[in-house]
Amino acid sequence: MGRMDAALIEMPERKPAKPSKRRASAEDLAQKQREISVSEFFAKNRHLLGFDSPRKALLTAVKEAVDNSLDACEEAGILPSITVVIEDLQPGRPASARSGRYRVTVVDNGPGIVRKQVENIFGRLLYGSKFHRLKMSRGQQGIGISAAGMYGLITTGQPMVIHTKPGAKAKAHHIELAMNTRTNRAEVTLDRETDDFPPSRLLASSSAAKNLGAAGELFAEGEFTTGTSVSIELEGRYQRGRGSVDEFLELTAIANPHGRFVFVPPSRESEAEDEQLELEQELPSKRRRRGAEADAEGEGHAPQADRSAKAGAKRGEGDGDGADERDGAAGSGIAAVTTELLGATIFPRAVGELPAETREIQPHPRGIELGTLLQMLKEYEAAEKGSLYAFLQERFCRISAASAASICKVVGVTSRTRISAVDTTLAEAIYREFQNARFPSPPTDCLSPIGVRQMLAGMLKGVRAEFYAASSREPAIYRGRPFQIEAAIAFGGDLPADEPARVIRFANRVPLLFQQSACSSFRGVVETSWRNYDLQQPRGSLPVGPIVIMLHVASVWVPFTSESKEAIADYDEIRKEMKLALMECGRKLGGYLRKRSRMRREGERRDVFERYIGEIVRAVHAINGTNEKQLFERLKQQAKRRTAIADQVLDEDGKVKKEEDPSALEGVIIVGETAPPPPPEIEAPSTRTRAAGRGTRSNAPASKSKPGATGSKSPPSRGGKAGTRGAGASTRAAAGDSPGSSASPGFRRFKRAADEQASLF
Amino acid sequence: MAKRTKTSGGKRPERDAKTKGRISSLADAVVTRANSGREPAIEIPTRARSNTIWNKKRGILEMGSATQERQLFNLNQARQFMQTLLHASTINDLIDAAKTSSLRGVFYKAKHTVAGTKENTFDEQDESDTILEDLEVALGSLREELHVFAENRGSMVGNITLVDKGDEIDCRRMGSGGYALPSIVEPDVIEFRKCDAKFVLHVEKGTVWNRFNEDRFWEKHGCILTHGAGQPPRGCRRLLQRLHTELKLPIICLLDCDPWGHYIYSVIKQGSISLAFESSRLAIPEARFLGIRAKDFVACKLSDAVKISLTDTDIKRAKEIAAYPWFAGHKGWQKEIDLLLTNGFKMEVESLITKDISYVTETYVPERLKARDWLE
């Protein structure tokens, strides 16, 4: 959230209005002047932290909790498993209500939190481990989760409920705390030990949760031996589509393929605000859904769980097969594809290893400001009382003994000059020398890129397409801070062909959902010339075509344009790297498209030749009486040989093609277009593959139960056993240790494509 | 007229055997290539402007030596490759049956649905005609050697007697219709007998020809009168060429004053690009262009009613024709085309009727002939 500085907080609450008539003396005023706590400031300025609308507040609460969980898991070396449950606490309220009361619960399998730190972490703003270091992590300031709790407290009066279990054998703590905004301290209202972790209450929270639990998908035995669960009650609004919790989790799952995410949404969705008057024009399927909801609401007095159970029954029976899909990484032979199951969404784990651990680095001399330098000098003086020469080497990265000596010489001091002798003028000289001298680039082991293979796995599970490519740039530097750009694209398949590309943006693996056009990555995409890669691109806009473009910026300090962390500032160095990464992906795409059209052409060629060979043989026979059969065979053989490229399609019956030169296409996945038809019995109406194309709005929950009702959606297959039979084997063989690959039930464009196959190379 | 005479058909079986041999070797090449794993292909001399050479000395267009391979395993040529072999087979059958067929007949004989598809081997007769011309050049055989003929087109009347397939025909007694010109007029089909004509007047269209025939122009002036129904077909051109070379009759053309008329003259005189291989049998470098001339609007005092404005295409075409090598260095023709362009209008032969119904036969042509006022 906001990068705060002290000046903001110490602003006087009110200034004297008109100087014309003296209303109060300085003493009077002095009585009213007092310190403002951070919490008070943010309580009044909640929009700075992303709580500006009920819908966004719900998203922000989820986002902060999920980011914290992921960071905690990775630091502890645990493959994250995160469950998000949103409960609708006012089910009787009309669906058109502007906002309602929700309870957001995020459970992780992280290391847990030591009891005495709970109040600090959840009950204080600007308390955290991440602010003071130069290391890549999702959170940066230590505001997020406590702010979410504070928002909940302000809007509902309910304290935050925390369950945390720091050890597999240890008992879990159940703590409820409310923040005192005056003091920026937490007040604990309940504190007891419990064995109930993850909180079993959640399993009964809705019919979806119940069904998932029964299917072994929610809180499976052994999945949460340690961990933390945070529940916040807040005023919010649940509505799918752009900028929704669903989109956030979908994108988070793409950028964090090593995580498993389960999302249990509230039993119903708020009406889209701009759709309120459109009831008459709705699709029949939608109207039916509304009708079902109205029925449910008629029994408003019934206990919530019952109601949900009824809704769940309407949604279709669970068939208990879900367990097979639980965990891609567990090597159960199930490819990792996002699926909707029993009213919840499961984003399976696509890769089995954690991102590389990042190292904390000292600041780079190029990357600091004068004030920071002064502060550092002051701290060093207090701590070490050493020489400037030692200070330079110890407190910065990439300053060797030689360059430290050279700096000392340039600013006119010796290597024995004490820090205490460094005054502001001298500090300024040092600062100037920092800008002039040459230093090696900062070390880059502080960065943890997602990785080409991981990005492919992430895209593959979240986006239904035909071609995937990814590229990872070498780390680079902006303002003395290392950063690294990664890009991936998904092309074809079910993606809409005549809309502008969808750009999905990430900073340190966190999806950026708002302010797209203000973001450097958006400009990077627009400035890349996609026409070179056989895509349409109106001047100065996004390319048009069935394409999803992913851009990830990893840095120890991501330059956001504002406190709300929604867009990346437009540094030339960053944008240039983005374009280079996109161009690399684009080249792969261009190569693929050209190869694809060549394959088609060759296929057509063969058709033509084979059509005519019969005629030719007959004519030749009529002239010289040659052996018809022999000539026919010979010519057919030749036709086959000459159109060998087409064989890659014809002979292997739609299997994924190995490129002639795989090294030329590293970081690419191609999903075969034609495939043998799946056995019909694998189609199960209760499961649905989520296509991350666009407009998740169409994923209305109740429509899931009626495969026929949505019309355009093809009946889904379970994405499970049968659906991925071929894929499992071929993918793992090609991808080495990555089990994450594709099963693609329900590609409607691919006539028979439930058994499609993919390979990584 | 039913006086039958023997034709010089004795050479026929010999010639047919030669043609059959060429067709066989075409088919054999396909088999040989297929057996050795090479791509079946047919070598076809290129019938395109690029392979047309202007033989200045002989004054005719000739085909160059460039050839093209028509390949089976080439997406753009596979269909034509098949069609070429189909026609080769069709012609083989015609020769075996000792029959001839019209172009349209050949088209129908080879036209059928490709097995297993809805595609026709030939969709249009044009396709078929082009393939036959390809075969002519590929086999080095003339059309009559392939037993194919075109529809009769054009008429003849005048002071000549000839024998057509043994029937004696007196062209002085052809009534109002004239003798229809067959497409094959080789000496083994048509023999010239008694000729007391002094020249041949070739006019562009049947309507003009009718005027001249009705006025018995050929009788009064002792000539042969022909027309080619627009662009003269091969039969007509070949007959004119034979009249010119064998009977030493000058060929005088009366065509419209427009780029199309000029082009017809050019084809009669030098040959055409697509039939450049036949030029030595068809072209008449000494042919003369009598009119209509661009100057005639003024010279004959014609009224404005005869003017037909040049279109953009006409202008473009006129400039192209002016640039033909055989016109480029010809002052008379450069002047003629320049004047046409300056006038900005074209004139048809029929326009002379504005002077008088028989102005063209009684005044225009006799005067010009007398004055030897023509372009060569």
Side-chain angles (χ1 to χ4, degrees):
Chain A
M1 291 296 107
R3 246 171 290 151
M4 293 302 307
D5 52 57
L8 255 182
I9 298 156
E10 278 162 13
M11 236 166 37
E13 203 169 24
R14 205 193 285 163
K15 281 180 183 161
K18 283 180 195 166
S20 57
K21 196 183 163 193
R22 199 179 175 95
R23 289 181 178 174
S25 67
E27 287 73 22
D28 294 339
L29 289 174
Q31 283 182 345
K32 292 180 186 165
Q33 288 165 342
R34 60 182 176 81
E35 192 191 3
I36 304 154
S37 91
V38 215
S39 335
E40 269 181 309
F41 177 79
F42 279 118
K44 283 199 171 171
N45 293 293
R46 55 168 88 150
H47 55 275
L48 291 181
L49 304 180
F51 295 93
D52 35 358
S53 75
R55 182 160 179 251
K56 207 166 159 192
L58 187 72
L59 167 68
T60 306
V62 171
K63 174 171 146 58
E64 296 301 341
V66 169
D67 287 354
N68 277 359
S69 293
L70 284 169
D71 274 346
C73 288
E74 280 165 26
E75 281 191 39
I78 298 167
L79 281 173
S81 211
I82 292 169
T83 301
V84 177
V85 181
I86 299 180
E87 297 160 77
D88 190 341
L89 301 181
Q90 290 176 321
R93 143 189 70 90
S96 58
R98 170 111 179 86
S99 64
R101 189 180 282 199
Y102 290 93
R103 185 189 291 126
V104 171
T105 306
V106 176
V107 187
D108 66 50
N109 63 344
I113 298 162
V114 179
R115 170 64 192 90
K116 71 173 172 33
Q117 285 287 24
V118 170
E119 286 94 328
N120 284 332
I121 290 173
F122 295 102
R124 281 177 82 172
L125 290 185
L126 295 176
Y127 187 96
S129 55
K130 302 164 191 170
F131 186 75
H132 298 279
R133 60 184 191 188
L134 276 180
K135 178 174 168 175
M136 179 181 150
S137 60
R138 292 174 181 79
Q140 285 177 345
Q141 296 96 347
I143 295 180
I145 191 65
S146 11
M150 188 175 77
Y151 173 83
L153 186 67
I154 291 167
T155 53
T156 67
Q158 294 300 312
M160 218 171 180
V161 179
I162 292 135
H163 292 76
T164 182
K165 192 162 181 269
K169 300 255 165 59
K171 273 193 179 289
H173 296 282
H174 174 182
I175 298 145
E176 296 191 2
L177 49 83
M179 182 194 283
N180 184 331
T181 50
R182 280 280 146 86
T183 58
N184 190 20
R185 287 289 186 280
E187 283 164 9
V188 175
T189 55
L190 179 86
D191 182 358
R192 61 185 179 89
E193 289 200 336
T194 173
D195 286 324
D196 184 26
F197 186 85
S200 50
R201 181 189 65 78
L202 291 172
L203 282 170
S205 64
S206 71
S207 64
K210 265 185 209 161
N211 291 336
L212 273 188
E217 288 291 332
L218 193 62
F219 305 143
E221 193 65 35
E223 194 181 356
F224 292 87
T225 53
T226 61
T228 304
S229 151
V230 184
S231 295
I232 297 167
E233 262 187 65
L234 47 72
E235 191 78 13
R237 177 182 171 78
Y238 177 72
Q239 184 196 321
R240 294 176 182 214
R242 275 288 167 90
S244 64
V245 174
D246 298 67
E247 192 191 23
F248 167 75
L249 288 173
E250 169 202 330
L251 298 184
T252 303
I254 289 175
N256 298 277
H258 60 291
R260 174 176 195 266
F261 302 86
V262 175
F263 176 44
V264 183
S267 48
R268 60 177 195 160
E269 189 180 350
S270 293
E271 274 173 28
E273 307 212 281
D274 50 353
E275 271 183 22
Q276 278 171 358
L277 300 171
E278 291 173 10
L279 268 162
E280 272 70 44
Q281 297 140 29
E282 273 179 352
L283 295 167
S285 66
K286 222 170 178 181
R287 213 173 293 137
R288 259 202 302 269
R289 173 166 69 84
R290 291 259 158 79
E293 270 169 18
D295 290 347
E297 270 155 27
E299 314 158 47
H301 57 276
Q304 186 208 344
D306 280 331
R307 271 176 26 77
S308 306
K310 277 194 179 115
K314 285 194 177 93
R315 223 173 267 137
E317 309 298 311
D319 55 7
D321 241 12
D324 286 348
E325 306 178 14
R326 245 202 63 239
D327 198 338
S332 53
I334 307 308
V337 170
T338 302
T339 47
E340 294 214 349
L341 178 76
L342 310 169
T345 311
I346 296 173
F347 305 91
R349 183 167 295 138
V351 294
E353 76 270 21
L354 279 162
E357 200 182 342
T358 54
R359 216 168 52 84
E360 203 177 321
I361 59 165
Q362 301 282 24
H364 189 271
R366 241 339 121 62
I368 64 159
E369 271 134 25
L370 182 57
T372 323
L373 176 63
L374 290 169
Q375 185 64 33
M376 285 169 74
L377 286 164
K378 216 157 136 191
E379 280 168 15
Y380 192 73
E381 170 65 13
E384 313 268 339
K385 296 196 187 303
S387 66
L388 176 63
Y389 178 70
F391 163 78
L392 288 173
Q393 290 177 59
E394 282 171 32
R395 290 299 160 98
F396 290 96
C397 65
R398 298 302 196 223
I399 299 191
S400 62
S403 51
S406 139
I407 292 168
C408 288
K409 200 175 154 202
V410 169
V411 301
V413 297
T414 69
S415 57
R416 279 183 301 280
T417 305
R418 314 301 300 174
I419 285 288
S420 49
V422 178
D423 58 3
T424 319
T425 334
L426 189 54
E428 258 192 85
I430 296 170
Y431 176 72
R432 269 200 309 276
E433 180 56 17
F434 278 176
Q435 311 309 312
N436 296 333
R438 294 174 63 102
F439 302 101
S441 296
T444 51
D445 51 1
C446 54
L447 296 178
S448 166
I450 300 175
V452 166
R453 194 169 55 74
Q454 287 83 348
M455 274 192 290
L456 287 176
M459 288 288 260
L460 197 54
K461 86 173 168 187
V463 182
R464 313 247 52 72
E466 162 191 342
F467 172 85
Y468 302 82
S471 70
S472 200
R473 298 283 307 161
E474 288 297 311
I477 309 294
Y478 84 94
R479 275 181 54 201
R481 286 161 191 154
F483 73 96
Q484 188 167 3
I485 301 294
E486 295 175 291
I489 55 175
F491 179 87
D494 266 357
L495 299 173
D498 43 10
E499 285 176 36
R502 181 185 182 194
V503 180
I504 53 180
R505 303 167 291 135
F506 299 90
N508 286 356
R509 293 168 183 264
V510 178
L512 308 178
L513 301 181
F514 302 98
Q515 293 193 28
Q516 168 166 281
S517 51
C519 188
S520 184
S521 31
F522 180 78
R523 287 192 55 185
V525 174
V526 168
E527 287 178 16
T528 304
S529 181
W530 294 93
R531 291 185 202 186
N532 295 345
Y533 315 120
D534 288 2
L535 285 178
Q536 292 175 0
Q537 183 179 26
R539 192 172 287 278
S541 2
L542 292 173
V544 175
I547 185 167
V548 175
I549 301 167
M550 165 181 177
L551 266 172
H552 176 230
V553 180
S555 179
V556 291
W557 191 266
V558 178
F560 289 109
T561 55
S562 70
E563 296 85 352
S564 47
K565 296 210 307 199
E566 286 164 351
I568 298 163
D570 197 20
Y571 280 96
D572 283 347
E573 297 91 334
I574 296 181
R575 204 172 65 251
K576 182 182 149 217
E577 284 293 313
M578 286 174 171
K579 276 155 74 180
L580 289 171
L582 289 171
M583 280 157 70
E584 202 179 318
C585 289
R587 278 194 297 275
K588 291 169 184 169
L589 175 65
Y592 168 71
L593 290 180
R594 279 188 290 276
K595 184 172 156 48
R596 191 176 68 169
S597 61
R598 202 168 89 222
M599 266 161 36
R600 287 206 180 132
R601 257 197 332 267
E602 290 299 303
E604 280 167 20
R605 261 181 79 190
R606 169 172 308 174
D607 284 355
V608 170
F609 301 153
E610 294 196 337
R611 237 181 293 155
Y612 295 152
I613 285 173
E615 294 293 330
I616 289 164
V617 168
R618 219 163 304 141
V620 171
H621 171 77
I623 295 169
N624 64 5
T626 190
N627 182 336
E628 273 187 86
K629 213 171 166 184
Q630 190 189 336
L631 182 61
F632 185 79
E633 284 310 315
R634 291 262 155 85
L635 287 178
K636 207 168 168 181
Q637 249 172 38
Q638 217 180 115
K640 211 168 165 186
R641 181 161 53 81
R642 286 178 190 276
T643 53
I645 301 162
D647 277 348
Q648 293 176 322
V649 185
L650 297 174
D651 288 0
E652 297 159 33
D653 215 359
K655 274 186 195 165
V656 170
K657 305 308 160 304
K658 273 245 168 191
E659 277 286 342
E660 293 114 340
D661 182 11
S663 63
L665 275 176
E666 207 178 315
V668 160
I669 300 180
I670 299 165
V671 178
E673 269 195 60
T674 52
E681 63 270 23
I682 68 161
E683 291 172 358
S686 58
T687 313
R688 194 152 65 82
T689 302
R690 277 279 301 280
R694 226 170 295 252
T696 36
R697 175 75 211 147
S698 64
N699 297 336
S703 65
K704 271 173 267 168
S705 61
K706 306 168 187 111
T710 39
S712 67
K713 285 266 186 285
S714 63
S717 86
R718 214 171 283 141
K721 294 180 286 194
T724 59
R725 243 179 300 159
S730 73
T731 304
R732 248 186 310 286
D737 52 341
S738 164
S741 65
S742 145
S744 67
F747 270 26
R748 41 167 202 294
R749 248 188 46 185
F750 305 163
K751 268 182 286 174
R752 309 163 291 171
D755 193 14
E756 120 220 353
Q757 320 188 340
S759 89
L760 286 155
F761 43 80
Chain B
M1 359 231 82
K3 200 172 139 198
R4 295 196 69 98
T5 6
K6 267 243 164 190
T7 60
S8 52
K11 284 183 199 156
R12 262 234 181 120
E14 195 186 312
R15 210 175 61 182
D16 284 348
K18 213 163 115 194
T19 311
K20 269 189 67 114
R22 287 173 181 163
I23 292 174
S24 276
S25 58
L26 201 72
D28 292 345
V30 173
V31 179
T32 321
R33 289 230 183 181
N35 287 343
S36 63
R38 280 179 304 150
E39 173 165 27
I42 301 167
E43 193 91 355
I44 297 174
T46 313
R47 292 189 302 121
R49 190 180 201 139
S50 61
N51 192 37
T52 308
I53 296 162
W54 163 239
N55 187 329
K56 206 172 173 186
K57 210 170 149 195
R58 294 182 63 196
I60 60 170
L61 280 174
E62 286 178 338
M63 192 163 63
S65 56
T67 59
Q68 250 175 326
E69 278 225 317
R70 179 161 294 168
Q71 297 156 331
L72 167 57
F73 295 113
N74 177 324
L75 207 54
N76 298 324
Q77 297 175 1
R79 183 175 158 88
Q80 288 176 327
F81 183 90
M82 168 199 70
Q83 290 172 337
T84 312
L85 276 167
L86 280 177
H87 269 347
S89 158
T90 309
I91 286 159
N92 198 52
D93 289 352
L94 282 176
I95 295 174
D96 284 346
K99 300 247 167 91
T100 58
S101 166
S102 68
L103 287 171
R104 189 135 189 96
V106 174
F107 163 60
Y108 273 115
K109 190 165 184 308
K111 179 178 183 247
H112 58 262
T113 313
V114 177
T117 67
K118 285 181 180 166
E119 186 184 341
N120 281 330
T121 50
F122 290 93
D123 285 324
E124 305 280 340
Q125 192 191 328
D126 284 356
E127 247 184 314
S128 162
D129 292 356
T130 315
I131 294 291
L132 274 175
E133 286 176 3
D134 286 344
L135 259 179
E136 278 180 61
V137 287
L139 299 173
S141 305
L142 302 170
R143 191 158 66 186
E144 54 271 19
E145 292 173 334
L146 301 182
H147 287 224
V148 180
F149 60 85
E151 257 181 278
N152 291 350
R153 211 167 109 195
S155 302
M156 179 162 86
V157 70
N159 293 334
I160 188 168
T161 305
L162 44 82
V163 175
D164 181 348
K165 284 224 169 161
D167 296 337
E168 196 177 277
I169 292 164
D170 183 354
C171 290
R172 298 167 194 87
R173 307 176 59 179
M174 297 309 295
S176 63
Y179 167 65
L181 297 178
S183 82
I184 295 171
V185 294
E186 292 310 303
D188 59 337
V189 179
I190 290 181
E191 283 174 79
F192 298 135
R193 285 289 161 83
K194 195 180 150 215
C195 175
D196 45 18
K198 296 191 291 278
F199 64 96
V200 178
L201 181 67
H202 177 79
V203 300
E204 186 167 336
K205 286 164 286 195
T207 49
V208 179
W209 184 88
N210 281 336
R211 171 89 267 116
F212 280 92
N213 191 26
E214 198 176 291
D215 292 351
R216 307 291 277 183
F217 178 87
W218 51 272
E219 211 169 46
K220 286 177 199 152
H221 296 271
C223 73
I224 295 168
L225 189 60
T226 59
H227 80 86
Q231 173 72 261
R234 271 202 256 181
C236 176
R237 285 166 60 193
R238 173 66 175 148
L239 190 70
L240 288 176
Q241 201 254 8
R242 282 189 63 204
L243 289 170
H244 178 69
T245 51
E246 292 171 28
L247 304 178
K248 310 287 177 229
L249 299 178
I251 309 293
I252 291 164
C253 304
L254 182 63
L255 307 165
D256 289 346
C257 176
D258 61 15
W260 181 240
H262 296 166
Y263 181 71
I264 290 174
Y265 171 69
S266 168
V267 167
I268 290 173
K269 192 175 162 80
Q270 335 284 348
S272 67
I273 289 167
S274 65
L275 294 176
F277 60 96
E278 284 245 65
S279 283
S280 56
R281 294 203 307 152
L282 298 177
I284 311 157
E286 295 81 17
R288 291 160 186 167
F289 183 83
L290 189 76
I292 303 295
R293 302 280 298 276
K295 63 178 183 181
D296 290 344
F297 180 73
V298 179
C300 305
K301 300 191 183 71
L302 297 175
S303 70
D304 278 352
V306 305
K307 291 181 181 175
I308 303 171
S309 297
L310 287 172
T311 62
D312 288 349
T313 331
D314 288 333
I315 294 168
K316 202 175 142 229
R317 193 94 182 88
K319 286 177 179 163
E320 273 172 24
I321 290 169
Y324 284 168
W326 47 98
F327 286 150
H330 193 295
K331 271 189 193 150
W333 270 106
Q334 291 300 315
K335 253 173 91 184
E336 178 69 22
I337 296 173
D338 272 355
L339 190 53
L340 171 73
L341 291 171
T342 332
N343 280 349
F345 58 82
K346 42 194 182 183
M347 291 176 288
E348 294 186 53
V349 178
E350 287 94 327
S351 68
L352 294 177
I353 209 167
T354 55
K355 300 285 287 184
D356 182 80
I357 295 175
S358 291
Y359 177 78
V360 68
T361 58
E362 287 167 5
T363 316
Y364 185 85
V365 174
E367 278 182 6
R368 292 294 158 95
L369 284 173
K370 204 171 169 196
R372 300 179 68 83
D373 185 3
W374 54 62
L375 285 168
E376 256 179 295

